[in-house]
Amino acid sequence: MQPSPMQTWQEKARIKVAETNSKIPEKWRLGKDDLVAAKKQRQLAGPFIESFLDGETLEITSHNSVPLLSKITSGHYTALQVTIAFCKRVAIANQINNCLHEIIFDQAIERAKELDEYFKKHASTLGPLHGLPISLKDQFHINGVDTTMGYTSLPQTLLLGETVNNLIGRSLNPVNQLLSCGGSSGGEGALNALRGSSLGTGIGSSVRLPAAYCGIYSIKPTHNRFSYRDAANTNPGQNTYASSVGFLSSSVDALHLRQSLADSTLSRASTDGYSNSNLQLKLGVFWTDGIVGPHPPITRGLQLVVDTLRGVGHKVVNWNPPSQATARRIHLAFLTADGGHDVHKQLNLSGEPLIPKNFQLREPMPLLQYQDLTLEGRDYCAAYSDYWNATADDEDGQIVDAVIMPVAPHAGVMPGKFYHVVYTEAINLLDYSAAVIPVTKADKNVDTFNSEYEPLNEVDRKNWEAYYPEVYHGAPVGVQLVSRKYEEEKVWVIAKIVSAALKAAGVH
Amino acid sequence: MQPSPMQTWQEKARIKVAETNSKIPEKWRLGKDDLVAAKKQRQLAGPFIESFLDGETLEITSHNSVPLLSKITSGHYTALQVTIAFCKRVAIANQINNCLHEIIFDQAIERAKELDEYFKKHASTLGPLHGLPISLKDQFHINGVDTTMGYTSLPQTLLLGETVNNLIGRSLNPVNQLLSCGGSSGGEGALNALRGSSLGTGIGSSVRLPAAYCGIYSIKPTHNRFSYRDAANTNPGQNTYASSVGFLSSSVDALHLRQSLADSTLSRASTDGYSNSNLQLKLGVFWTDGIVGPHPPITRGLQLVVDTLRGVGHKVVNWNPPSQATARRIHLAFLTADGGHDVHKQLNLSGEPLIPKNFQLREPMPLLQYQDLTLEGRDYCAAYSDYWNATADDEDGQIVDAVIMPVAPHAGVMPGKFYHVVYTEAINLLDYSAAVIPVTKADKNVDTFNSEYEPLNEVDRKNWEAYYPEVYHGAPVGVQLVSRKYEEEKVWVIAKIVSAALKAAGVH
């Protein structure tokens, strides 16, 4: 139904939600009691969602992407079987977790049938992702489907550390409903944690937050390693520090499926040497940025990674780069340089109210100041690069391969308590490549509140006081592994090495 | 001598010129009669400059970079021998052609001695360019040497199609002194044409103009394929459409010496398939942008390339991309968006007068307009890319590998008559990779003035009327071969293929 210009934004939103929900077939609808039961669950992922699924659906959706693809390619599953199984799981996921903004089951099933026809006729698959169900953040333009960009769903403007908007409200973390699912690809994170998608595609620094919060894997490439064409964005004319198209999945291997689709004319950092099983990595570890110290579960997560890597012979050195405070100041200035004009132009289309506080309407920044800021950003990147290069001057003569960092100072975030996004933001300014891997879960018995901690400043105090061991109990702890520009392949290989070491050590 | 703040810019300039000239050893100085004779020459390159050189200098400087390097590596020449020979040739070149802004013979000779020591001790060379004399545009910061950026030399601001400034005046084309040597790397072009350098390094679109005008080769990579660190620039805070570090040389092979030095973490387009000797290239040919039609020598140059390539079995199709008028409008708007503030800040340091008319001081562009323009640029690039991709829909199913284009609508330019820089500028906006190769020379007997040509507009008329067959006679005609982003290796391979075909056909 076409919204009429006379409708209020609330009416339009109601119509949109009703339309989306109507696309869930009757047979996959949950009863009122089930919905009430879902609200009371702490964890939706795993047994709870699975209690609604039949055997075949469970069996198909339990596979990670790479084995799933082989089963399709070998003819063990048809594309249609796989697609129906994922649609069903997604339908349940959305009813209990509020993570979808568009439902395109019909087109997916149509396409699956075509692929099965093709497979029958040619005895081969069509393209590298034949029959693999993927989800897309509601920022990619798709024929015949709205792109809301958070003006009616997603975190409004995308530039928020939580998934909250005026259409479907808030998406909570399916692993721990006391927490937000985090960041502008939060729905993607939730969906992947609920195994409703084999591979999620998101944009922004925010592919890292939901991965860390939901206990899955993700990769954030350098800008334009994957094309931004046919994707919407907030303030697209500010492209000095632009965001990136990235991927989320429940398996580290699946991330590479998309890597292989990157524009072949673009760069591919050499990973020669990284397949050597005697390889001794040299990694930096960034315990804290000295502005906001991470909560106990995060610090323990970093320590687990460091101990595990050292245990198998890799080197880990402390990381003290140029201050992230500088990166924060410059990046925020760019995001808000237009004085919120782009955001308000979008809001005015429907009249819906603004959510992110940074975007109050004001005078745009004067151009000369904007261009001077570009130079400050350039100098920060150069200083950071110098610091990185200088690790080659250590006695071992070896340059750091990647840096282990917090994704945020907390494992998930309580609604309204995200005070410091700088751990991801600094990497955005640098335009480096980063992968997120899960490490452990917060444990109230181990990660106790240290009441003697002396906060570094007011923001640090607020963040520290937002750590409630009871609330965080069970929340996934991820870390980011950071390499430099265009080193997506390299950082992915390192993520695989580190994940394998964590598995071998029984940590994750 | 340190300039005092009380000196006028004219005094400072005089001191700077005197200092530079004093670095030419007495024994390499030309007499007054020789200098007068030089002014009367039409062509300085070739026999005229060579009349001042001894046998060994001639013999060494006659080698292109790649064979020269082998002779150093094999021990046939010492680095010192080679360095002295080039310094000598450069000293003569500068006296007759006015192409240098800094002379660093002493450091070059010092370094050559070190390299010879190293070679003696280790029986191997140090790095891929061991002992090869190169020149650098006066935009790269070098220890102990001024970087003038055209405020005291080079074309002032670099953003001019001619090499003219308040320090050394105008550098003319050493192949035809009636013409300018063209563009902001004009001195580099002249020096390479005079064979005073084995490899020139420049910045800006302007590595293409001097190459075409001086009859040598050059390559312009995509932005940041080669690092901009330690280089100055005009208005560096405007990095939406930034320029590139590129190279010029008297041989196509030498360009690849620098390619091999590109940051290895950056992209390298695949050239698989391009080494196949049965390869059938598909090239576009851009006869005219429909705004300013090229002079007869350029059109004939394009025709020669097309005929030669077709003659050996390659395909050539007409090229009708989105209008370059759009690219021009957007690019110029970015160059002047700061209202000339950066340029005037630099001019005010010395008080020297402004040369390029586009940079009169005015109000900077409002930021929202600047960001909207970024979107127009993005859309132009997308439309151009669509046009390129659509060539794969031709009956042969083959996508165009590269496009043959004019570098400018003229072979060299008469001082003050550069009206239309759009043939290079559009490629800057697209951030594509391009190589320039020499094709032929203007010939007054063939390239006659067509008085019946009907100009498309006022600028076209001015450009057409600026074609004097007598003046242009003997001026080199180059073309640019254009590939897409990060396709430096590919466009270099194509440049080699086309150059070899032109040689085999006796065209060049």
Side-chain angles (χ1 to χ4, degrees), chain A residues 65-85:
Chain A
S65 303
V66 176
L68 191 59
L69 264 178
S70 347
K71 292 224 162 170
I72 298 171
T73 309
S74 70
H76 184 87
Y77 293 139
T78 63
L80 186 62
Q81 262 181 305
V82 170
T83 302
I84 289 176

Side-chain angles (χ1 to χ4, degrees), chain A residues 233-502:
Chain A
N233 209 358
T234 288
N235 197 12
Q238 186 290 98
N239 73 350
T240 304
Y241 297 105
S243 58
S244 300
V245 175
F247 308 101
L248 308 96
S249 182
S250 52
S251 80
V252 68
D253 286 331
L255 297 178
H256 203 248
L257 290 174
R258 287 317 283 257
Q259 293 285 102
S260 68
L261 297 181
D263 181 343
S264 66
T265 65
L266 279 184
S267 67
R268 191 155 295 198
S270 170
T271 55
D272 299 351
Y274 285 93
S275 55
N276 179 347
S277 58
N278 293 321
L279 173 70
Q280 189 183 34
L281 291 173
K282 180 173 173 180
L283 300 174
V285 58
F286 192 48
W287 297 105
T288 172
D289 66 3
I291 308 166
V292 170
H295 287 175
I298 301 297
T299 301
R300 185 169 60 83
L302 295 170
Q303 190 69 58
L304 279 168
V305 175
V306 170
D307 292 347
T308 303
L309 291 174
R310 285 191 175 141
V312 294
H314 296 294
K315 298 179 202 171
V316 184
V317 298
N318 285 332
W319 193 248
N320 298 303
S323 172
Q324 293 196 152
T326 310
R328 169 62 179 164
R329 178 177 56 77
I330 299 168
H331 198 253
L332 183 64
F334 272 96
L335 292 187
T336 57
D338 80 333
H341 278 72
D342 178 70
V343 166
H344 285 269
K345 197 169 75 186
Q346 310 302 329
L347 292 174
N348 291 344
L349 295 176
S350 71
E352 65 166 312
L354 175 73
I355 298 179
K357 283 177 288 183
N358 282 331
F359 294 97
Q360 301 294 346
L361 199 61
R362 59 174 96 78
E363 275 298 301
M365 185 184 285
L367 184 63
L368 298 187
Q369 190 182 334
Y370 185 81
Q371 294 191 338
D372 282 346
L373 260 177
T374 302
L375 297 182
E376 289 192 60
R378 180 197 66 180
D379 292 346
Y380 180 79
C381 294
Y384 206 104
S385 179
D386 285 345
Y387 177 75
W388 196 305
N389 287 336
T391 61
D393 301 334
D394 294 350
E395 233 168 66
D396 59 10
Q398 192 178 346
I399 197 164
V400 154
D401 295 289
V403 181
I404 308 156
M405 299 192 185
V407 179
H410 30 62
V413 68
M414 290 170 68
K417 293 184 181 293
F418 202 148
Y419 305 114
H420 187 67
V421 297
V422 187
Y423 287 96
T424 44
E425 198 173 18
I427 307 309
N428 294 347
L429 190 85
L430 292 163
D431 201 18
Y432 283 1
S433 13
V436 170
I437 58 168
V439 176
T440 185
K441 292 195 170 182
D443 182 336
K444 63 183 176 185
N445 301 312
V446 183
D447 304 316
T448 51
F449 185 79
N450 175 3
S451 53
E452 288 175 18
Y453 178 79
E454 285 191 26
L456 302 161
N457 51 56
E458 182 54 20
V459 183
D460 193 32
R461 189 190 58 73
K462 275 160 69 179
N463 179 65
W464 194 257
E465 289 177 357
Y467 178 58
Y468 298 90
E470 189 60 55
V471 168
Y472 274 96
H473 187 68
V477 173
V479 298
Q480 57 179 336
L481 299 163
V482 175
S483 286
R484 295 160 91 176
K485 273 195 172 188
Y486 292 112
E487 297 194 337
E488 294 83 6
E489 271 76 11
K490 182 175 150 186
V491 86
W492 176 74
V493 171
I494 292 172
K496 266 179 78 93
I497 294 171
V498 177
S499 294
L502 292 173

Side-chain angles (χ1 to χ4, degrees), chain B residues 270-285:
Chain B
S270 171
T271 55
D272 299 352
Y274 286 93
S275 56
N276 179 348
S277 59
N278 293 320
L279 173 70
Q280 189 183 35
L281 290 174
K282 180 173 174 181
L283 299 174
V285 58

Side-chain angles (χ1 to χ4, degrees), chain A residues 229 235 267 370-371 386, chain B residues 229 235 267 370-371 386 486:
Chain A
R229 279 199 77 168
N235 197 12
S267 67
Y370 185 81
Q371 294 191 338
D386 285 345
Chain B
R229 280 200 76 170
N235 197 12
S267 68
Y370 185 81
Q371 293 190 338
D386 285 345
Y486 292 113

Side-chain angles (χ1 to χ4, degrees), chain B residues 28 71 78 98 107 127 132 177 215 220 243 254 261 265 297 313 316 323 344 366 456:
Chain B
W28 294 343
K71 293 223 163 172
T78 64
N98 210 18
Q107 295 95 309
L132 193 74
Q177 285 208 84
K220 179 206 88 76
S243 57
L261 296 181
T265 65
V316 184
S323 171
H344 285 269
L456 301 161

Side-chain angles (χ1 to χ4, degrees), chain B residues 212-260:
Chain B
Y213 292 176
C214 298
I216 58 172
Y217 299 83
S218 80
I219 193 159
K220 179 206 88 76
T222 291
H223 175 65
N224 257 344
R225 176 66 199 275
F226 289 81
S227 172
Y228 234 100
R229 280 200 76 170
D230 298 324
N233 209 358
T234 287
N235 197 12
Q238 187 291 95
N239 72 351
T240 304
Y241 297 105
S243 57
S244 300
V245 175
F247 307 100
L248 308 96
S249 183
S250 52
S251 80
V252 68
D253 286 330
L255 297 178
H256 204 248
L257 290 175
R258 288 315 285 255
Q259 293 285 105
S260 67

